Each structure stands twice: as structure tokens, then as C-alpha cells.
Amino acid sequence: MTHHIRVLDTASASGPQSARSRIPGVPQAGKPVERLIRAGQRLFHQGDAASHLFELRAGILRQTRTLESGERQVIGFHFPGDIVGFAPDGIHRDDCTAITDGRAIVHHADARTLADRSPELQPRLWAAAMQEIGRAQDQLVMLGRRSASAKVEAFVQYLIERAGNWRDGQVSVDIPMSRYDIADFLGVAVETVSRSFTDLRQAGVIEMTDPHRLTIRHPAALANLR
Amino acid sequence: MTHHIRVLDTASASGPQSARSRIPGVPQAGKPVERLIRAGQRLFHQGDAASHLFELRAGILRQTRTLESGERQVIGFHFPGDIVGFAPDGIHRDDCTAITDGRAIVHHADARTLADRSPELQPRLWAAAMQEIGRAQDQLVMLGRRSASAKVEAFVQYLIERAGNWRDGQVSVDIPMSRYDIADFLGVAVETVSRSFTDLRQAGVIEMTDPHRLTIRHPAALANLR
DNA sequence: CGCCTAATTGATAGGTATCAACGCTTGTGG
DNA sequence: CCACAAGCGTTGATACCTATCAATTAGGCG
């Protein structure tokens, strides 16, 4: 059905960060630590205890869930500014992997413990948790769209809202994730994603110099597509 | 595309609870109050300030978002035990309507304010927020399923987990929501929902005496369908 | 250089949205 | 009390969309 194993995953598993190792440089308790993140590295695994909370400062993360059937669903992407690692019942139900190099503040505690321990963090923790709820719900709306091209359009809009660079009335954005990631994010086939991008390009809505760079000259056109 | 207006909504708007009125019996501040909820009543509206938090004690709620295009997405259903009314940025982006009669404890505060004001509630509030994240993510997995019948199967499983009654090794559950609600929950057409139920029935996986009551004699069969 | 993967495009079969019609229940008014 | 309207759920027929299989190109890496 869907794609079982991705290059990034295997690359990371065989790379300098062994798959099941603790995040290096993270103390078992105490003060938060800033960590560098390398593309392909996994921050936490499906099944791990949710023992760390990450304040992402740079880079893009991908959170995925793999079903017993082998199907993969991308639960979400994380961008700088996000707080990552919320989990009900103290157990991660997803993998979280870096798509690009990055940097994060790592707290050795789950959200609730951290809120108890550091009251000054509470406002930001609550805001982040609410944002997480809101983003998951927005993604539901994205997935609920009936047609595949509407989903891809909504994804483009989402990317722009989260990471778009505005300049001279036009907006461009990097697309660090693969077409497979986008496909598993939207619940459509990778070929459909590719075709939808082509359609959007030929319709004059978007421009793409290469598959991972997108520009919109007339953003109003996209707004109409909502 | 999708269904613009539902009977319950219009019924509620013309019913005893006027559409834009405050929740009756709720003080503007102070102690929580228990409120009865009538089927069709709306607890909050898209665009409202997120000024109340509801501890649902009985009944089923439906949270929906309506797009400018008129399409409706069911963001989620709420069951007894849920805490309802989390919203990022203090503004509700969804409508929340009672599907059945019910009962709730109403707090006149948003989650963060309530956490500040009532520290003894903090553990439950955090747990509820984490649950909300987890459920939205589970729903993403449901929507990501490729085939419509797989989505309906996943929905049945979801219903059973949330509200199933186990007895003598078999499980049954009420389905209080309409086929339209299920369709807008799963992002498929209402006819497809109906056909999928029929298929599941004919395949011997489920039994349905009427459209709103479901029984599974051999739950193991459903587990295999994951 | 040769292998592997990503991304794209093509062809086709199958699934699902859509339009349509019907039975059923509920509520309303004559 | 019965006729009627309205909405829900279901089923049928059909056209369109998309998943799937296949092939091609381009780029990265050992």
C-alpha cells in the first residue's frame, strides 16, 4: 500500500547516530541543553518513554506513525519555534526524525513535569500545547478535502504560512521534505502529489525552479483556491 | 461538494436555545457550574472567544469547522470524561454542538487561566490537553487510510474504544451521530459511508439491528482489519 | 563509472463521487 | 385520524478521479 522504509530512515539508522541510542549530550536530569541535530537523526521513537521535550530552534522535523500493516502516516512537520515531544500517557506513539540539520533546546522532562518544575515556562508550554492541538485540527481539515489537488494546494498554503519568505509582494518557500513525505502527510499516492504539483505549475499558480523550491508570484491566486 | 446545513443545526437555531445566546446558567466568573445540555444545542461557535471549558459528564458532542467554500469537516466527537473547549489564541475555530442530551461542568475560563487559578486541576488539564493531541493525531491516521471502507472500519474501532459496551466477549455500541456526520468526519461521501456499513455487515464483521446500533460478535475479526 | 533513489510522466483498472430514486420514520396540519 | 412534507438511510447507474504498475530522466554516492 504505502511506502515501508525510506532512505533517510535507513541512512540515520546506519549513520553516526545509532537508531536506539539516547540523544547524545543530554543529561539525565537538570538544566536544559542546546543540541545540534543532523539530518536523518531520530529524536524519539514510537514506543519510547516521553522523557524529553524539545524546543526547536532551527531545522525541520517530521513526525510519523507506522501501522502494523506497514503503512506510514506523517502526523506532522515541525518548524523552528515549535515545542516538540508532547505525548499522552507518557509514551511516544510516533517517530520524530530530522529532515534537515537543526538545533534544539532539550529539556529532560515531559510537559507536565516541566510545568511543575519550571513555573515560568508554563505560559509557553500551554501555548505550545494549544498550538499543537490547533495544528493537528488544521491538518484534519487538509486531509478532509475531497480531491487530491485540493489537498496539495492546501499543503502549499500550509507551508507558506509556516515557513514562507515574503518579498516584493511574492512569496517563496523551501520544500525540504520529499514527495513521499508529502504523500504520506496528505494520504495520497506519491505520483498524485507529483502530478498535482505539475498541474499547479501549468495552471500558473506556482513556479518551481527545482522540486524543493517553490515561488508564488501572485499570492492572491492561491487564497482564492481555499 | 459537501453538505452545508444539517437538521440538527437548524433545529437548534430555532429551538429553545437561541443560536448566539450565552450558555444559560453560566456565571461570568467564579465556581464551576453543572449544566444540562440538550440535543442540538451549541456550546460554542466558530469565532467565539474561548472563554469556557467544559468537563463533559454525559452525552456526545460534535466539533465541526465550516470552510468559506461551505464544506464541513467534523474535527472530532466528544464523549463523557472529555474536557472540551481548548483553543489556540483564545478563539474557537470550530462549532461545538450536542448530538444527544447531556451534562457538563462549565468553567468560566480558558485552560491556561484555569490552570493558574486552580493548581489542583493542573494534572487533569494537562492530561486532557495531551489526550486531545493524541486523539487528533489518531484521527489523522484514520483519514490517511487510503480506501473508504478502511476508514469506516477504523471509525468503528474508534467508536468501540471510546464508547463500546463489552458483554460476554462481544461488544456493541450506539452510533448517535448521523451518516452525514460520519462522512464529514472521515472525508468521504455519505453514500460511501452507507455502502461501507453494508459491506461490513454482509462480510459478517458487524451486525446492525438499526442504523444507530452496532454489535460485533467476534471482536478479533475487527482487530485483524487494522 | 555503475548503482540507487527521487521525481516525473504515461497507461490502465478500479474505486469513489455524483446524480437519481426509493422506503422509512417523524412531525405537522387538515 | 390520516395525508402530506421533510429528512435520513440505503441502493443503483455512471463518469471521473486516483491508485497502481511501468518506464524514463536526473542526481547523489560509493
Side-chain angles (χ1 to χ4, degrees):
Chain A
M1 267 281 171
T2 28
H3 333 91
H4 294 230
I5 297 183
R6 289 298 140 59
V7 167
L8 266 183
D9 299 339
T10 38
S12 82
S14 60
Q17 305 297 344
S18 110
R20 276 283 162 185
S21 68
R22 282 242 155 270
I23 308 296
V26 176
Q28 289 309 300
K31 289 193 168 298
V33 178
E34 176 155 316
R35 270 283 304 149
L36 291 182
I37 302 167
R38 308 222 348 227
Q41 183 182 354
R42 232 172 281 194
L43 273 69
F44 53 81
H45 287 77
Q46 213 161 338
D48 281 358
S51 53
H52 296 80
L53 213 56
F54 303 86
E55 292 187 61
L56 188 58
R57 291 295 169 86
I60 314 286
L61 307 180
R62 176 201 341 111
Q63 199 167 328
T64 59
R65 189 173 305 182
T66 302
L67 308 182
E68 310 76 21
S69 61
E71 298 177 63
R72 192 184 78 146
Q73 175 70 35
V74 173
I75 301 295
F77 299 107
H78 297 288
F79 294 82
D82 291 359
I83 295 184
V84 183
F86 294 113
D89 306 319
I91 300 288
H92 284 300
R93 305 220 294 288
D94 313 300
D95 287 340
C96 187
T97 308
I99 292 182
T100 69
D101 289 349
R103 188 165 40 86
I105 310 292
V106 185
H107 300 269
H108 185 264
D110 64 11
R112 213 170 103 195
T113 310
L114 196 59
D116 282 349
R117 183 199 298 167
S118 310
E120 76 281 4
L121 278 181
Q122 283 200 25
R124 293 186 47 217
L125 286 174
W126 269 112
M130 296 296 107
Q131 295 288 344
E132 184 91 349
I133 292 173
R135 276 197 286 269
Q137 292 178 344
D138 290 346
Q139 192 175 339
L140 286 176
V141 175
M142 225 181 296
L143 290 217
R145 301 276 179 125
R146 294 295 208 276
S147 82
S149 57
K151 289 182 188 174
V152 173
E153 286 167 13
F155 172 72
V156 169
Q157 214 163 354
Y158 156 84
L159 259 193
I160 288 173
E161 284 169 11
R162 298 237 58 196
N165 300 309
W166 291 83
R167 181 171 172 164
D168 302 332
Q170 68 186 41
V171 59
S172 58
V173 67
D174 283 324
I175 307 180
M177 59 287 288
S178 73
R179 296 293 190 261
Y180 292 91
D181 289 339
I182 300 172
D184 291 347
F185 183 73
L186 295 175
V188 298
V190 60
E191 296 93 332
T192 302
V193 173
S194 191
R195 275 185 252 269
S196 297
F197 272 121
T198 302
D199 292 345
L200 282 175
R201 194 158 14 92
Q202 291 180 345
V205 180
I206 64 174
E207 294 179 28
M208 300 187 77
T209 54
D210 75 293
H212 294 285
R213 180 97 197 142
L214 183 150
T215 299
I216 297 184
R217 295 214 180 279
H218 307 290
L222 191 66
N224 293 335
L225 293 173
R226 301 194 79 160
Chain B
M1 264 287 174
T2 27
H3 332 92
H4 296 230
I5 297 182
R6 290 297 138 60
V7 167
L8 266 183
D9 299 336
T10 39
S12 81
S14 61
Q17 304 298 346
S18 112
R20 278 281 161 185
S21 68
R22 284 243 154 270
I23 308 297
V26 176
Q28 290 309 300
K31 289 193 167 301
V33 177
E34 177 154 314
R35 270 283 305 148
L36 291 181
I37 302 168
R38 305 209 6 215
Q41 183 181 355
R42 232 172 282 193
L43 273 68
F44 53 81
H45 288 76
Q46 213 161 340
D48 281 358
S51 53
H52 296 81
L53 214 56
F54 304 86
E55 292 186 61
L56 188 59
R57 291 295 168 86
I60 315 284
L61 308 180
R62 173 198 348 107
Q63 198 166 328
T64 59
R65 190 173 304 182
T66 303
L67 308 183
E68 311 77 20
S69 61
E71 298 177 62
R72 194 184 75 148
Q73 175 68 36
V74 173
I75 301 296
F77 299 107
H78 297 287
F79 293 81
D82 291 359
I83 294 185
V84 183
F86 294 114
D89 307 319
I91 300 288
H92 285 302
R93 305 220 295 289
D94 313 301
D95 286 340
C96 187
T97 308
I99 292 181
T100 69
D101 290 348
R103 188 166 38 87
I105 311 292
V106 184
H107 300 269
H108 186 263
D110 64 12
R112 214 170 102 194
T113 310
L114 196 59
D116 281 349
R117 183 199 298 167
S118 310
E120 76 281 4
L121 279 180
Q122 282 199 27
R124 293 188 45 219
L125 286 174
W126 270 112
M130 297 297 108
Q131 295 288 344
E132 184 89 350
I133 292 173
R135 277 197 286 270
Q137 293 178 344
D138 290 347
Q139 192 175 341
L140 286 176
V141 176
M142 227 182 292
L143 289 217
R145 302 278 180 125
R146 293 294 208 275
S147 83
S149 58
K151 290 182 188 176
V152 173
E153 287 168 13
F155 172 73
V156 168
Q157 214 163 353
Y158 156 82
L159 259 193
I160 288 173
E161 284 169 12
R162 299 238 56 198
N165 301 309
W166 291 85
R167 181 173 172 163
D168 302 331
Q170 67 186 43
V171 58
S172 58
V173 66
D174 283 324
I175 308 181
M177 59 288 287
S178 73
R179 296 293 190 260
Y180 292 91
D181 289 339
I182 300 173
D184 291 347
F185 183 73
L186 295 175
V188 297
V190 61
E191 296 93 333
T192 302
V193 173
S194 190
R195 276 185 251 267
S196 297
F197 273 119
T198 301
D199 292 345
L200 283 175
R201 193 159 13 93
Q202 291 180 345
V205 180
I206 63 174
E207 295 179 28
M208 299 186 78
T209 54
D210 75 292
H212 294 285
R213 180 100 198 138
L214 183 149
T215 299
I216 297 185
R217 296 214 180 279
H218 307 290
L222 191 66
N224 294 336
L225 293 174
R226 300 195 77 163

